[in-house]
Amino acid sequence: MARKAFSRMAVSTLAALSLVTLAACGSDSDPASTSGGGGGGDDLIKVGFSQLGAESGWRTANTESVKASLTKENGIDLTFVDAQQKQENQIKALRDFVDQGVDVIAFSPVIETGWDEVLQDIKDAEIPVVLVDRTVETTVEDPFVTWIGADFKQEGTTAGEWVKENHPDAKIFELQGTMGSGAQTDRQEGFREVVGANVIGEASGNFTRAEGKTATEAALAAYPDMDLIFAHNDDMGLGAIEAIEAAGKKPGEDIKIVTVDGVRDGLQALVDKKFNFVVECNPVFGDQIVDLIKKVDAGETVEKETIVVDEAFDQTITQEFVDARSF
Ligand code: AHR
């Protein structure tokens, strides 16, 4: 039976690791990949990182954090591949990493399911996996050593609690992220446990600004009564602003907007009173990923889960706060 690879817990558990050190690897010739290059020294840890895409401001900030931290100065010889939101690209990158004999594989899975075969192959090759950001559902036993990311369900719950307290009668349209991704399923679950009865419509905007705008245009026609949008990320909320203004309505007033992420553009919309509430999902944890990779490579015991701490913001934040935001 398929199972979720971990359960969300406020307190992380400890798990023992197996130590694997493999032979040297070559550089990926895929145009979407970048490498630490030059083959690195023998003392560098060879890491294959499969990023799921570049769909949002959050993802861009996360990639910058990963690249700034997984450096030769920090002991890492990185091969980074952008999957452009396609699972088949990601599976190919993971197989390439196995062929290259990297020491550690890190990846952010675009959706939760469909990884069984490649995860089994990685396990058979005895390459440890560090799961980043999103989660997997798989039949493979112990498919990864450690996972680091946000508590998506709690983010949805926090958004729902703000709506329940401030707009208990809201007619909500839910602008969902990439269907089948951990960020979509868990945010939806957490939100609906609190205010599910108020949701009158839903559609996916695939975590992008353009698709968020298109989905909102359709929703404005289909649900003329809607007065609040819960967008699973800032980018889709920013697309919703464009659609709402084009329809002659005022975002933040006629239609309230609640989002997740808290990137600078999203917080600017909050200061401009076009967003009403933003739950943070902090993308800057590259330094923590490096620490985990080093420990995993050394065969040390690491926590099975590391939850990145998030905040939440309302319209009382200041312009100075937004200007000082690092992502
Ligand atoms: O998995 C994290 C989510 O992915 C972010 O909230 C979203 O902006 C990104 O696309």
Side-chain angles (χ1 to χ4, degrees), residues 241 251-253 265-275 315 317 319 322:
I241 287 176
E253 287 187 26
D265 285 355
L267 295 189
Q268 186 61 54
L270 199 53
V271 166
D272 295 341
K273 311 277 190 260
K274 295 183 178 184
F275 281 180
Q315 290 180 338
I317 61 163
Q319 186 64 54
V322 178

Side-chain angles (χ1 to χ4, degrees), residues 23-94:
C25 68
S27 291
D28 195 322
S29 58
D30 188 310
S33 79
T34 54
S35 171
D42 282 343
D43 50 343
L44 297 177
I45 303 168
K46 294 174 177 60
V47 176
F49 191 106
S50 170
Q51 179 62 287
L52 66 89
E55 73 283 3
S56 63
W58 188 98
R59 190 65 54 195
T60 303
N62 182 249
T63 290
E64 282 171 7
S65 176
V66 166
K67 287 186 174 176
S69 300
L70 276 65
T71 60
K72 287 188 174 169
E73 293 69 33
N74 285 334
I76 307 287
D77 180 17
L78 172 68
T79 299
F80 180 96
V81 184
D82 175 349
Q84 297 162 354
Q85 289 251 73
K86 291 194 175 73
Q87 186 178 37
E88 63 266 30
N89 290 349
Q90 221 165 2
I91 289 174
K92 179 184 180 308
L94 297 178

Side-chain angles (χ1 to χ4, degrees), residues 150-191:
D151 186 338
F152 296 138
K153 184 174 178 192
Q154 182 57 52
E155 291 169 350
T157 303
T158 302
E161 284 169 347
W162 184 87
V163 171
K164 187 177 176 188
E165 189 177 336
N166 294 279
H167 301 284
D169 301 321
K171 297 180 186 62
I172 303 168
F173 174 70
E174 188 170 347
L175 197 40
Q176 299 162 311
T178 303
M179 297 308 286
S181 68
Q184 179 265 320
T185 57
D186 291 353
R187 284 174 186 163
Q188 174 172 320
E189 188 183 341
F191 185 74

Side-chain angles (χ1 to χ4, degrees), residues 62 65-66 69-70 283-291:
N62 182 249
S65 176
V66 166
S69 300
L70 276 65
V284 182
F285 53 92
D287 52 347
Q288 290 172 274
I289 298 172
V290 171
D291 285 348

Side-chain angles (χ1 to χ4, degrees), residues 55-56 58-59 133-134 152 183 187 207 232-233 261 281:
E55 73 283 3
S56 63
W58 188 98
R59 190 65 54 195
D133 171 34
R134 295 188 187 168
F152 296 138
R187 284 174 186 163
F207 282 127
H232 286 190
N233 79 346
D261 275 357
C281 182

Side-chain angles (χ1 to χ4, degrees), residues 37-322:
D42 282 343
D43 50 343
L44 297 177
I45 303 168
K46 294 174 177 60
V47 176
F49 191 106
S50 170
Q51 179 62 287
L52 66 89
E55 73 283 3
S56 63
W58 188 98
R59 190 65 54 195
T60 303
N62 182 249
T63 290
E64 282 171 7
S65 176
V66 166
K67 287 186 174 176
S69 300
L70 276 65
T71 60
K72 287 188 174 169
E73 293 69 33
N74 285 334
I76 307 287
D77 180 17
L78 172 68
T79 299
F80 180 96
V81 184
D82 175 349
Q84 297 162 354
Q85 289 251 73
K86 291 194 175 73
Q87 186 178 37
E88 63 266 30
N89 290 349
Q90 221 165 2
I91 289 174
K92 179 184 180 308
L94 297 178
R95 290 199 188 290
D96 287 345
F97 295 154
V98 172
D99 291 345
Q100 292 161 10
V102 299
D103 300 314
V104 177
I105 288 175
F107 81 109
S108 300
V110 62
I111 57 173
E112 291 188 301
T113 57
W115 305 102
D116 293 356
E117 269 186 44
V118 72
L119 283 174
Q120 188 60 54
D121 291 348
I122 293 170
K123 192 172 178 180
D124 292 346
E126 298 185 313
I127 299 173
V129 171
V130 173
L131 206 54
V132 176
D133 171 34
R134 295 188 187 168
T135 49
V136 292
E137 277 185 23
T138 179
T139 53
V140 176
E141 283 292 315
D142 296 324
F144 61 92
V145 178
T146 186
W147 165 81
I148 178 167
D151 186 338
F152 296 138
K153 184 174 178 192
Q154 182 57 52
E155 291 169 350
T157 303
T158 302
E161 284 169 347
W162 184 87
V163 171
K164 187 177 176 188
E165 189 177 336
N166 294 279
H167 301 284
D169 301 321
K171 297 180 186 62
I172 303 168
F173 174 70
E174 188 170 347
L175 197 40
Q176 299 162 311
T178 303
M179 297 308 286
S181 68
Q184 179 265 320
T185 57
D186 291 353
R187 284 174 186 163
Q188 174 172 320
E189 188 183 341
F191 185 74
R192 295 212 183 180
E193 278 179 10
V194 185
V195 284
N198 295 45
V199 176
I200 61 170
E202 64 184 37
S204 175
N206 205 23
F207 282 127
T208 69
R209 198 176 294 210
E211 289 177 71
K213 181 180 178 189
T214 310
T216 304
E217 285 166 352
L220 285 164
Y223 310 105
D225 288 352
M226 75 172 178
D227 54 15
L228 191 147
I229 291 176
F230 171 46
H232 286 190
N233 79 346
D234 285 344
D235 286 79
M236 295 190 297
L238 293 164
I241 287 176
E242 292 177 29
I244 292 165
E245 288 179 337
K249 295 191 173 188
K250 278 191 126 184
E253 287 187 26
D254 299 326
I255 299 180
K256 315 282 187 291
I257 302 177
V258 175
T259 71
V260 182
D261 275 357
V263 296
R264 201 180 297 116
D265 285 355
L267 295 189
Q268 186 61 54
L270 199 53
V271 166
D272 295 341
K273 311 277 190 260
K274 295 183 178 184
F275 281 180
N276 301 79
F277 188 67
V278 175
V279 182
E280 183 181 51
C281 182
N282 192 328
V284 182
F285 53 92
D287 52 347
Q288 290 172 274
I289 298 172
V290 171
D291 285 348
L292 287 169
I293 285 172
K294 285 183 172 176
K295 286 179 180 162
V296 166
D297 185 64
E300 292 174 23
T301 298
V302 293
E303 292 183 353
K304 190 72 179 173
E305 298 180 14
T306 304
I307 306 285
V308 179
V309 177
D310 293 327
E311 297 178 59
F313 308 105
D314 63 17
Q315 290 180 338
T316 61
I317 61 163
T318 63
Q319 186 64 54
E320 291 70 35
F321 180 80
V322 178

